Amino acid sequence: MKCEEVRELLEALHDNELVPETRAAVVEHVQGCSGCARALRDLEVLRPVIAKAGRFVTPAELRARIIRTLRHRDAGFARGWRWRTLSALVASHAAMIIGGGLIVYVATSDYLRHGSATREVVAAHVRSLLDERRLALTSGDQHTVRPWFAGKLDFSPEVVNLEQDGFPLLGARVDYVDGRYQAALEYTRRNHKITVFEAPADETWVNATRRSVHNGYNVIQWVSGGLSYQAISDLNGSELGHFAALLRRKSKE
Amino acid sequence: MLPHLDSAYGLARWMLRHPHEAEDAVQDAYVRALEHFDTYQGRGEKAWLLTIVRNVCLMRLRRSRQSANVVMIEDVLGQVEQAVAESSSAKAAADPETASIARAERNEVHRALGRLPTSFREVLVLREFEELTYKEIADVVGVPIGTVMSRLARARSLMRSLLIEADRGEHKNEV
Ligand SMILES: [Zn+2]
């Protein structure tokens, strides 16, 4: 690859938008070319600086105001929005599964397996956002949550308290996702909810951390101590990464 | 439960640059989202919602531009272009530039982002704060992916220039 071509693709490399082959070619060039390497560094220095601006904090009053307005506008809002969103989501997932059915049946690679699993946990997470009553146990104490799962699941999930790290535990429920009952733990960070799904890892799980983005939700999946973990939230990728790292470390202790 | 409220509010704040304006815009956007639910195609709900937020913000910007003492976008663009010209005249030493960008503080970053023309600021905000993909940004803004890429590149180079300029101004004050 020539420098000119590489320079055109540096931005996309930096934003993780290149297909693997192109990415490999660009990275290989950058490793052997000081000019392009310096251009990439110039780009990379900017991201943490922009991040210093931080995100705006939504005024709590605004949230309340919008909910009031919507209720006023549409008396059936509470049910209407939830159920219409839910049915739209369910319909789209069904369409995806039917549309992708051929591929799913033909190929059973880790990637596809993870892909469909990810879609399902995203859908389960969205369902929980839409219906807050789904939280069966509201407790932030791992010594209450852990025994609560006994008898409800055929495995014992890890329950880790991350309150001191700024991720308080809201509670737990059992959810049927990806063909089996899973433990679902809900944590929170500011106004963002994080759901962690846990289930025994079968042979389709590879021993590596996978990050992906589905419908604007960040998903991180990993395997530890024989369990598969899937953390999902609309929280930004770096904070969710921090959360996953903490959970991973503390569940080993 | 309001999905993606922080994202909606953040985008409105960056587009309108005024807290109360942003709050009103976000409220409008959610009402519209409810009314126009039939345009929601069951996927990419975050991008769908942000598209509505953006449209409401643009309408408000257009309306306020018609009132008297609002800086025209074109004027801002002129200022930015000038800043670029000034900073690129001193492009020789590259490493001090990197250092001066890394030194930028929160309020300098805010000011620099605020000085970007709206069309550049919105793509940068959607990418850096909302972590949308190029495809999602293209959907929200309603332009081809190639345009998203060129606007992002331009937005970033303007940010570099503005931050270098801000840093130089600060040092002048120190001396
Ligand atoms: Zn090169």
Side-chain angles (χ1 to χ4, degrees):
Chain A
M1 264 185 146
K2 287 190 197 132
C3 287
E4 277 173 26
E5 293 171 74
V6 170
R7 295 293 166 100
E8 299 244 305
L9 295 172
L10 281 185
E11 206 100 9
L13 173 71
H14 178 56
D15 288 325
N16 202 12
E17 291 269 351
L18 293 179
V19 296
E21 306 83 71
T22 317
R23 187 189 165 84
V26 173
V27 167
E28 196 191 320
H29 175 98
V30 170
Q31 280 166 347
C33 171
S34 61
C36 290
R38 130 125 260 141
L40 183 61
R41 262 203 314 281
D42 279 352
L43 259 181
E44 284 170 345
V45 76
L46 198 57
R47 176 155 291 157
V49 172
I50 291 177
K52 286 182 191 172
R55 283 174 66 119
F56 287 106
V57 179
T58 312
E61 198 273 326
L62 175 62
R63 187 181 298 267
R65 206 173 101 194
I66 294 174
I67 290 174
R68 270 200 311 275
T69 312
L70 293 182
R71 287 226 172 95
H72 181 71
R73 285 262 175 161
D74 177 358
F77 156 69
R79 269 231 320 268
W81 172 270
R82 283 174 187 179
W83 289 109
R84 281 188 288 177
T85 309
L86 180 57
S87 50
L89 279 170
V90 169
S92 77
H93 288 294
M96 249 187 280
I97 290 160
I98 294 162
L102 192 64
I103 307 166
V104 176
Y105 285 119
V106 174
T108 49
S109 70
D110 287 334
Y111 177 78
L112 283 173
R113 162 93 178 117
H114 277 297
S116 68
T118 310
R119 271 203 301 273
E120 287 220 19
V121 291
V122 171
H125 175 73
V126 172
R127 277 200 302 273
S128 77
L129 293 180
L130 297 171
D131 189 352
E132 276 149 1
R133 289 163 308 177
R134 286 173 57 86
L135 208 56
L137 173 72
T138 45
S139 166
D141 179 8
Q142 78 245 57
H143 304 296
T144 309
V145 177
R146 253 190 99 117
W148 178 82
F149 278 118
K152 295 186 178 68
L153 292 168
D154 56 359
F155 64 97
S156 76
E158 278 290 341
V159 182
V160 178
N161 190 336
L162 295 174
E163 174 107 50
Q164 285 180 339
D165 304 286
F167 297 97
L169 180 63
L170 291 179
R173 63 175 193 278
V174 171
D175 213 331
Y176 190 76
V177 189
D178 196 26
R180 67 160 298 130
Y181 286 103
Q182 305 210 8
L185 295 159
E186 279 188 11
Y187 293 84
T188 179
R189 175 78 153 190
R190 297 188 303 276
N191 284 321
H192 303 277
K193 216 183 259 186
I194 305 168
T195 309
V196 179
F197 293 96
E198 297 181 22
D202 58 27
E203 69 286 351
T204 60
W205 281 84
V206 282
N207 201 8
T209 303
R210 257 192 101 251
R211 292 161 159 276
S212 53
V213 182
H214 272 252
N215 283 355
Y217 293 97
N218 284 301
V219 184
I220 304 182
Q221 301 162 307
W222 70 95
V223 176
S224 170
L227 293 178
S228 67
Y229 291 78
Q230 308 192 69
I232 160 160
S233 178
D234 65 344
L235 188 65
N236 65 72
S238 54
E239 278 185 281
L240 189 63
H242 177 58
F243 169 81
L246 282 169
L247 194 60
R248 197 171 186 159
R249 180 150 28 94
K250 297 217 170 167
S251 60
K252 277 184 197 148
E253 280 169 7
Chain B
M1 176 65 218
L2 296 168
H4 310 300
L5 181 59
D6 286 346
S7 302
Y9 181 68
L11 178 63
R13 274 298 293 268
W14 280 118
M15 286 193 75
L16 299 172
R17 314 203 52 227
H18 189 285
H20 294 150
E21 281 277 315
E23 289 187 31
D24 290 348
V26 171
Q27 183 174 356
D28 272 11
Y30 276 91
V31 170
R32 270 157 197 273
L34 186 68
E35 283 169 355
H36 300 279
F37 202 86
D38 49 339
T39 64
Y40 174 56
Q41 296 181 342
R43 61 194 159 82
E45 57 189 48
K46 182 174 175 180
W48 173 72
L49 188 65
L50 291 181
T51 308
I52 299 173
V53 172
R54 178 180 177 271
N55 288 341
V56 170
C57 289
L58 284 182
M59 266 188 311
R60 284 176 168 263
L61 281 175
R62 242 173 259 138
R63 216 181 299 147
S64 65
R65 217 177 295 157
Q66 286 161 2
S67 65
N69 44 16
V70 171
V71 187
M72 298 290 286
I73 296 294
E74 291 69 26
D75 293 346
V76 179
L77 188 58
Q79 288 167 18
V80 173
E81 296 291 349
Q82 199 188 343
V84 173
E86 280 167 10
S87 77
S88 53
S89 63
K91 254 236 148 96
D95 272 317
E97 285 193 351
T98 304
S100 77
I101 288 168
R103 261 201 300 273
E105 281 168 16
R106 187 166 193 266
N107 54 349
E108 285 168 345
V109 179
H110 266 257
R111 213 172 305 137
L113 265 166
R115 287 182 69 187
L116 293 186
T118 314
S119 58
F120 294 148
R121 193 191 314 132
E122 62 182 7
V123 292
L124 200 59
V125 165
L126 291 172
R127 177 63 214 147
E128 298 295 335
F129 298 122
E130 299 310 327
E131 298 176 13
L132 296 193
T133 62
Y134 287 177
K135 171 76 176 69
E136 288 169 325
I137 299 173
D139 288 346
V140 171
V141 179
V143 296
I145 288 179
T147 309
V148 170
M149 291 174 74
S150 61
R151 282 190 192 169
L152 258 182
R154 192 87 182 94
R156 283 175 172 146
S157 88
L158 285 170
M159 277 301 284
R160 293 179 59 80
S161 308
L162 288 166
L163 291 171
I164 291 165
E165 188 207 38
D167 187 60
R168 203 174 295 143
E170 205 139 277
H171 283 264
K172 245 182 264 164
N173 292 344
E174 280 168 19
V175 177

